[in-house]
Amino acid sequence: MKSIHYLGLIVRLFAIALFAFGVKNATFFLETLFYYSEDAVRSTTLFMALSALAPLIISVVLWFFPMTAASKIMTDKEASVEVLSSVQLLSIIIVGIGFYTLYYALVDAVFWLSFKNMASNGMASTINGFDSSPQDKANMIATAVAFLLSLILIFKSKTIATFISRTVR
């Protein structure tokens, strides 16, 4: 198998995790429809529908086209190789870590966007202890940094793997 095939497997695993996240958000969306007042539901319906549907749609696309996504991430498409070099294997592991952190960064981002949206639309009274504290702001910044770092891990994996390989020797 080529290294791009391993990356395709990671993309497919990411699609499964993203689908599970979308299903979880869909249940939250349905709960909001049934248990909150009409005014609050009207103001948050579009946002909540997008937070439920976007992960589902993206996961379906990634599931059916993992090699396309993998070829966009990994630029070097070498011939069929049975044994991977240490840099290639390390690059695949780094991309896997990047997808892992991207998943949790996306989960946190949707949480904070939902939290801010509900607070701005008058649903803050239903959130226990709503307070835009410095800790909340720090958590939002940490989520943005985690998102950025995960993208760097995914798209610069070969550079990072080469650097790590050179420093180890």
Side-chain angles (χ1 to χ4, degrees), residues 83-142:
V83 179
L84 293 175
S85 70
S86 61
V87 172
Q88 290 172 328
L89 183 60
L90 188 57
S91 177
I92 291 169
I93 291 170
I94 290 171
V95 169
I97 293 169
F99 274 121
Y100 179 77
T101 58
L102 178 65
Y103 172 74
Y104 285 107
L106 288 174
V107 169
D108 289 345
V110 169
F111 169 76
W112 287 114
L113 290 172
S114 300
F115 189 78
K116 289 295 247 184
N117 187 33
M118 290 174 74
S120 66
N121 289 319
M123 293 177 72
S125 61
T126 61
I127 300 172
N128 294 335
F130 171 74
D131 184 21
S132 186
S133 67
Q135 183 179 0
D136 289 339
K137 291 176 185 172
N139 284 333
M140 290 179 205
I141 292 170

Side-chain angles (χ1 to χ4, degrees):
M1 272 194 346
K2 294 192 246 180
S3 58
I4 198 165
H5 292 117
Y6 291 106
L7 182 57
L9 290 172
I10 292 172
V11 168
R12 233 185 213 173
L13 291 173
F14 179 71
I16 293 169
L18 198 59
F19 185 81
F21 175 69
V23 169
K24 179 181 159 197
N25 278 358
T27 59
F28 182 63
F29 172 63
L30 292 174
E31 178 185 340
T32 303
L33 283 176
F34 293 120
Y35 293 111
Y36 291 104
S37 67
E38 263 186 54
D39 294 333
V41 169
R42 254 187 256 129
S43 64
T44 61
T45 301
L46 178 63
F47 179 78
M48 296 190 80
L50 284 176
S51 71
L53 289 177
L56 292 173
I57 292 169
I58 292 170
S59 69
V60 169
V61 169
L62 288 176
W63 179 261
F64 286 111
F65 303 106
M67 294 307 292
T68 304
S71 67
K72 298 291 182 190
I73 293 170
M74 193 170 281
T75 56
D76 60 335
K77 297 170 185 79
E78 64 274 350
S80 181
V81 178
E82 291 299 320
V83 179
L84 293 175
S85 70
S86 61
V87 172
Q88 290 172 328
L89 183 60
L90 188 57
S91 177
I92 291 169
I93 291 170
I94 290 171
V95 169
I97 293 169
F99 274 121
Y100 179 77
T101 58
L102 178 65
Y103 172 74
Y104 285 107
L106 288 174
V107 169
D108 289 345
V110 169
F111 169 76
W112 287 114
L113 290 172
S114 300
F115 189 78
K116 289 295 247 184
N117 187 33
M118 290 174 74
S120 66
N121 289 319
M123 293 177 72
S125 61
T126 61
I127 300 172
N128 294 335
F130 171 74
D131 184 21
S132 186
S133 67
Q135 183 179 0
D136 289 339
K137 291 176 185 172
N139 284 333
M140 290 179 205
I141 292 170
T143 298
V145 169
F147 182 76
L148 252 158
L149 289 176
S150 64
L151 290 178
I152 290 170
L153 284 174
I154 291 170
F155 291 110
K156 294 294 184 181
S157 63
K158 183 154 175 101
T159 306
I160 296 168
T162 305
F163 174 75
I164 291 171
S165 180
R166 273 194 224 136
T167 57
V168 169
R169 291 182 191 176

